[in-house]
Every structure is written in structure tokens, then in C-alpha cells.
Amino acid sequence: MTALLLVLVALGFLSIVIEDVVHIDKAKTTLFFGSLVWVLFFIAPPSHLTHEALMEQLNEQLLDIATLWLFLMAAMTFVAYLSGKGIIDGIVNKLMPSRMSERKLMIMTGLFAFLFSSMADNITATLVCIAVLMNLRLPAKKLLRYVVLVVFSVNAGGTALITGDVTTLMIFLADKVEIVDLLVLSLPAFVAVMSLAFLLSLGLQGDLELEKRDITFGHGDKAVAALFFLTILTTIGANVAFGIPPVLTFLFGLSLMFMVVQFMNKDEPVLDYIRKIEFDTLLFFLGVLLLVGMLKELGILAYFPKLYDIMPTLAANYVVGMVSALFDNVPLTAALLKSGIEMTLPQWLTLTYSVGVGGSLLIIGSAAGVVAMSKVEELTFASYLRYAGYLFVAYTIGFFGVLAIGVML
């Protein structure tokens, strides 16, 4: 049964890769395989597991999924409202110059995504960045380059903050690094982002002409925009100060949005914006997380600490970053921390960087990539893979930059 489950999990991930070939939406195939493996797991469980233990494991997976679903729903509803009201387009119209080179736009995109993801979570940062890029109406091939940069940048941006990436928080709570040590990760991570921006800008020669126009917003719409950014900042502050889960703060912010619109835009059917969010994105996440959860239950992730028995520590850290593009980096990091591996400070910093940024190497390797793939029709596993060389170069530059700074510390 274990072999069968592993085959089905592999088929589930393969269905994402060959979506363009079979022409079946990845949300459908991942949900099919993800739910199937858990049904079979209950029908023929390992002999040492009781039904109560099975239910506990399933409930743990469903809790993680529900938390992500609710957070995504709240963030996507905010973005759907702001986009539908033209607020994002209006902000871009006011801030962007009337003429800009495509190369300059590439640098600005990387910088904005990096900085914004340092304040907000990766999913919200990705949604906002993609909404901005979509409003620029770039040709499909050029749009892909910018979206690839967004995925890498938002993953790199949160690496240095315990509020920016769960794996960074896990390593910090295990007393492997200090906050001051983590902050130095920002420099090599930013250098990696700018390196990728330079590589992706090669061949871009054109200029963008942005039509400037006067756009006015109602007081209610301005209040919602301010509330959105206040919710992001409050989410970070409340989590650090009181340990409040981000999903709870965002749901409260969403409820405030409903009340603001109710009293300031009385005829606005604000609940309709929930229906406008991409539920195929949520179903895709559900399927992927069920598949990853099954890998965790089968104990596959427990084999990765053995890398450190056959490889030098730094080389293993580098490889683990690449592995995190295939497996959820949270249980992968947990397995490494529980294994009792001993590392120096520079080595722990390189691991923090690699598990935080390594998921960018494949489009399915991070929440930012999955969100981007569901929002941009032209972005597929294969189209993202075309830029694998650039991504590996940028990832490697950042990795050795972290090592160099860690040695100086």
C-alpha cells in the first residue's frame, strides 16, 4: 500500500507538470489524487495506526489547509475589491512615470516585491504584485519574466524576518540563530533578487508608454484601501506582540471591510466579491497540501537528514534548498531540526536561506508560485521551467553571499 500511495502522489504532482499536454485543470487532478490517497490510507492503514490516530493525522492536515484557505479567501477578497474598483490600477497610474524602460520596470518589480513581502505575507505580496503587472497589459512572454521575478523576490523578501517565513521562525525558535543574525540575510537575499532581475532583463529593449488619466475614488474605496494595508501591518504586529495567528487578524480585517462598505457605500453588494475570487486556486492548494501531507505521513521527509551523513553540511544545505522546491519546506525543516544535526552559525544561516528561497526554483515549490500559476494563465510548470537556469544562478549567488556574511559574523 505504501508503494501504491507513493505512485499516486507522484502522479498527482506529474499531473501539474503535464497540464498543457492532457488539458485537464491542475485543480481537478491534484484534488482527485490528493483525496484518493487519503481514502486509501483509511481503507488500508499501517498496522500500528489505530482509527483514532488516523483521524488525528487527518484533522491536523485539514486544520493546516483550512487555515490557509481562510487566509487566502480574506486576502483575495480584499484584492478582488481593490482591483474591481480600479484602485490598484489607479495607484499604478499615479506612481508610475508616463514612460519607462522594460529593464527599469524589472528592477522596480523585484525591489517592490522584495520590500512588500518583508512587510506582508508571501501570498498577499504575490497577489498585489501580479495585480499591478496585469494592469500594465504586457505581452504574455514578457509578463512571464516579471512574474518569475515576483515569485523569487517574495520568497527572498521574507527570509530574514521571523514574521516573513515560517521556516525562519522555526529555526529561530529552536535557538539556532538570533534575530540580529537573521537580519543580515536581507543583503545577500536582495543581491540574489537583483541578480535575477538583471538576467531576466537581458533581451528587453522596449519602453512602456503609460496613459496618464485622472482617476477619482469614493471615500469608502479609499477607506478600504487604507484598511487593507493597515490589516497587513496589524497582522505582523499582532503576531509578534501577542502571538495572534495571521488568519485571525485578516478575517477581522475582512469583517471590518464589510462594515466600512456597508456604512459608506450602502448600495454596494460587497459580499459578491467573495464570489469573484479564484476558487480553482483554493482547490489546487487543497489538492497539493493533501499530497504533501501524505508524504509526511508516509515518513518520506524523515529520510532527508541522512543527506548530512553522506555530504558536507554546506553542500547538504544547498541541496535541501532545491529539495524544498518539491516538498513542503515546513515539515522538511522540522525533520532537520528534530534530527539533532549540529551546525555552525554560518551553516544555520545558509539553511535558513535555502529552505526559504529554494522553493522558488519550481513553480509548485512555494505558495507564491502556486498563487502566481493560478492567476496568470500563461504561467505553467513548463513555462516557468524555462527560466530554471537563471533561478539557479540567483539562488546560488544568494547562498554563497549568506555564507560569506555568516563567516564574518
Side-chain angles (χ1 to χ4, degrees), residues 40-62:
L40 294 177
F41 195 57
F42 267 79
I43 293 175
S47 57
H48 66 282
L49 286 180
T50 63
H51 180 74
E52 290 73 17
L54 287 173
M55 286 302 303
E56 183 179 348
Q57 291 176 354
L58 177 61
N59 288 337
E60 182 182 346
Q61 296 299 323
L62 293 179

Side-chain angles (χ1 to χ4, degrees), residues 79 82 88 108-130 132 150 153-158 161 163-164 225 228-233 236 250:
V79 174
L82 296 175
I88 294 177
M108 290 183 62
T109 299
L111 178 61
F112 177 76
F114 181 85
L115 294 176
F116 191 35
S117 66
S118 298
M119 298 185 298
D121 63 281
N122 290 359
I123 294 173
T124 305
T126 304
L127 288 170
V128 171
C129 290
I130 288 179
V132 170
V150 166
S153 300
V154 297
N155 280 303
L161 298 173
T163 56
F228 176 53
F229 288 102
L230 181 62
T231 299
I232 294 173
L233 296 177
I236 298 172
F250 242 93

Side-chain angles (χ1 to χ4, degrees), residues 155-397:
N155 280 303
T159 303
L161 298 173
I162 59 175
T163 56
D165 194 284
V166 176
T167 54
T168 301
L169 177 61
M170 291 169 64
I171 295 172
F172 167 75
L173 292 177
D175 294 325
K176 305 301 182 183
V177 292
E178 300 292 337
I179 289 182
V180 176
D181 301 326
L182 288 172
L183 291 177
V184 302
L185 290 178
S186 297
L187 179 58
F190 180 70
V191 171
V193 169
M194 288 297 102
S195 299
L196 181 60
F198 169 76
L199 293 171
L200 290 172
S201 68
L202 296 176
L204 295 179
Q205 302 291 341
D207 292 330
L208 293 173
E209 295 284 350
L210 300 180
E211 179 184 352
K212 287 292 185 177
R213 56 191 186 280
D214 292 329
I215 301 177
T216 57
F217 306 118
H219 294 299
D221 298 337
K222 292 179 181 178
V224 171
L227 179 61
F228 176 53
F229 288 102
L230 181 62
T231 299
I232 294 173
L233 296 177
T234 304
T235 297
I236 298 172
N239 183 259
V240 173
F242 306 107
I244 299 175
V247 61
L248 188 58
T249 311
F250 242 93
L251 286 174
F252 180 65
L254 181 65
S255 70
L256 287 177
M257 185 190 90
F258 292 156
M259 300 304 291
V260 167
V261 176
Q262 173 66 34
F263 289 105
M264 300 189 73
N265 297 352
K266 293 187 177 180
D267 296 329
E268 179 75 28
V270 64
L271 291 176
D272 286 351
Y273 286 97
I274 296 179
R275 303 184 182 98
K276 295 181 180 180
I277 66 178
E278 294 79 6
F279 280 94
D280 55 341
T281 300
L282 299 177
L283 291 173
F284 181 40
F285 262 113
L286 173 58
V288 169
L289 292 176
L290 285 173
L291 290 171
V292 172
M294 180 51 60
L295 287 175
K296 177 183 177 183
E297 299 305 329
L298 294 176
I300 300 303
L301 298 179
Y303 288 100
F304 289 109
K306 297 185 183 298
L307 278 174
Y308 293 82
D309 295 332
I310 60 176
M311 299 177 66
T313 301
L314 287 175
N317 285 347
Y318 183 82
V319 171
V320 165
M322 293 187 287
V323 170
S324 71
L326 290 171
F327 300 98
D328 188 351
N329 60 355
V330 173
L332 182 60
T333 303
L336 293 173
L337 289 172
K338 291 177 182 178
S339 67
I341 296 173
E342 296 293 335
M343 296 191 207
T344 63
L345 175 61
Q347 292 168 342
W348 279 115
L349 288 175
T350 57
L351 178 66
T352 304
Y353 169 85
S354 62
V355 294
V357 181
S360 309
L361 298 177
L362 293 177
I363 191 62
I364 60 173
S366 66
V370 175
V371 168
M373 184 163 52
S374 63
K375 296 286 288 182
V376 181
E377 183 178 352
E378 296 83 4
L379 184 63
T380 63
F381 185 92
S383 63
Y384 190 88
L385 198 61
R386 294 184 197 133
Y387 301 98
Y390 292 164
L391 290 163
F392 270 107
V393 170
Y395 168 73
T396 303
I397 289 173

